[in-house]
Amino acid sequence: MEKNEKAVTSMDEPEVHYRGVKTMPLIIGNETFEKLGTIGTSNNLLVYLTTVFNMKSITATTLINIFNGTTNFATLPGAFLCDSYFGRYKTLGFASVSSFLGMLVLTLTAAVSKLHPPHCEKVESDTCSGPTTWQMTFLLSGLGLLVVGAGGIRPCNLAFGADQFNPNTESGKKGINSFFNWYYFTFTFAMMVSLTLIVYVQSDVSWAWGLAIPTLLMLLSCLFFFAGSRIYVKVKPDGSPLTNAARVLTAAAKKRRLKLPEQPWMSLFNHVPKSSINSKLPHSDQFRFLDKAAIVEPEDTINSDGSAANPWRLCSMQQVEEVKCLIRVIPIWASGIIYYVATNQQQTYVVFQALQSNRLLGNTGFKIPAASYSIFAMLSLTIWIPIYDRIVVPTVRRITGKEGGITVLQRIGFGMVLAIITMLISAIIEEKRRTLALRNPMGIEPRRGAISSLSGFWLVPQLTLIGFSEAFTVIGQVEFYYKQFPENMRSIGGSFLFIGFAASSYLSGFLVSFVHHLTSGSKMGDWLPEDLNKGRLDYFYYLVAAMGVINLAYFLVCANWYKYKEHSTSTAFEVGMEDIQSEKTLV
């Protein structure tokens, strides 16, 4: 492993001292405590809003969907500000403090009685007092601070950790791989602890303590992060790649009336600066109207170094092809929005199902917290990934001859099929749960209704299957965005995943509200009432499954049309990271 490796730099740039191994305990410690804090706060937030703030299920679910959507969407402006103005160190520092303050505000809403409505033990939620305008404002301010924190942390933390290693040395490459392994280990560890210990403290001990613990952990995360300020490699921001995309679109619009040449690869402007970190892309026939941005007119001026004097009027063919990569990805990205609607239901309504199921653990008398059942989705994903990587891929590779066994788009599509099956199984289990609750109830859940005698462990199959689905589709999308985006757009590519989460959360919130209002006045009755036994959640699950089938058909059309970006002989990761590090400028 590397110690204090130095990078060769130009005369006008300071020498880079990579302290990789020395910074790892600080960065990994920061990551661990940050995830324990934020995940520990957000995982049980749905139950918190319905039990402490006396919100109705529909209101709480909609608020959570909007919060999750805004949190994920914030990664795009976060990545833009990080790349263009502040750099990763300043962005992460500011975002970490914001997350801590947000969790501190949430803790105060639980600890201070005047900051939440009075406790309500009544069976009917309609008779419980809701939050006042001031209480709601204070709560939303805490959630807003968490949104700001997530917007800065999520797109920057992985890249900042990789910045601390020299990718031009063997020890540096091993250090980066080790960092990624530890990063995902801490994520899994944080999920396990949050979904068990922290959720238990929140649900069965005290909400004040249950939120104070993650807040304290987030404070430790901030302390770990700033403790390494003197030894971090801090990369100077060099501008957002979205600016180049805007230039191509603007130049193409200005030259829209020009005629395209018959052999564009021979006559179009194609200056590639020496400092470019992107691999050279060949000309493609898709979206040819963008090629007009690279047509040289008599009034276009070329600088002595070969670059365009006015980059908003003349762009290189390389820049045009990079924008084409971005546009080609968008239809595939859009298919993920409907897919994530299914995963959202396994994070929201499955909690309400658990609340009205038998959560007793055998004859011990211990009642499993409703939010803890989500751990089975994480367990199945964690167990399946090494099996898929070490057993399934090599076996399929021998059959297909493909490096990954199957293509990335095939992997994404198979996960979508599993999501459809998940929703069908969820509907069947919900129908069984509801039937037993009406025929053979074993108690009453306050402000909801009868508790079904069906064991909560019957929710495990659908949660396990959605975990398998995410192992195919979500990880497949991460790989797809990483490989198909130009090297300088990979932070934006990482944001694409979270923007898909955001759009799906908004859509899921709209769908829940729409179905609730549409069915509440029908003869069949409200599908999504407070008491699930009086509704038809199973019909809602069938609706989501039907949407998944239509979305799968759309995805197959897009996948058949899609043209993969050509790769060089070196791996995309090695080429990208080596070029990025060779051009780094320190603050």
Side-chain angles (χ1 to χ4, degrees), residues 546-558:
M547 292 171 59
V549 172
I550 297 172
N551 183 60
L552 178 63
Y554 163 78
F555 171 79
L556 293 175
V557 172
C558 294

Side-chain angles (χ1 to χ4, degrees), residues 388-402:
Y388 179 81
D389 185 59
R390 299 298 180 183
I391 300 176
V392 176
V393 170
T395 303
V396 179
R397 183 189 295 138
R398 287 193 290 268
I399 300 173
T400 63
K402 298 182 184 297

Side-chain angles (χ1 to χ4, degrees), residues 333-375:
W333 166 82
S335 66
I337 296 174
I338 302 294
Y339 164 78
Y340 289 121
V341 171
T343 63
N344 285 340
Q345 308 318 312
Q346 303 306 320
Q347 298 167 1
T348 53
Y349 267 100
V350 75
V351 177
F352 295 139
Q353 285 181 278
L355 285 172
Q356 291 188 256
S357 299
N358 180 6
R359 293 182 283 130
L360 292 174
L361 184 62
N363 298 322
T364 60
F366 176 77
K367 186 179 289 186
I368 301 173
S372 293
Y373 285 94
S374 298
I375 197 174

Side-chain angles (χ1 to χ4, degrees), residues 535-549:
R536 296 310 304 251
L537 179 60
D538 51 335
Y539 290 174
F540 180 70
Y541 283 162
Y542 283 129
L543 173 63
V544 175
M547 292 171 59
V549 172

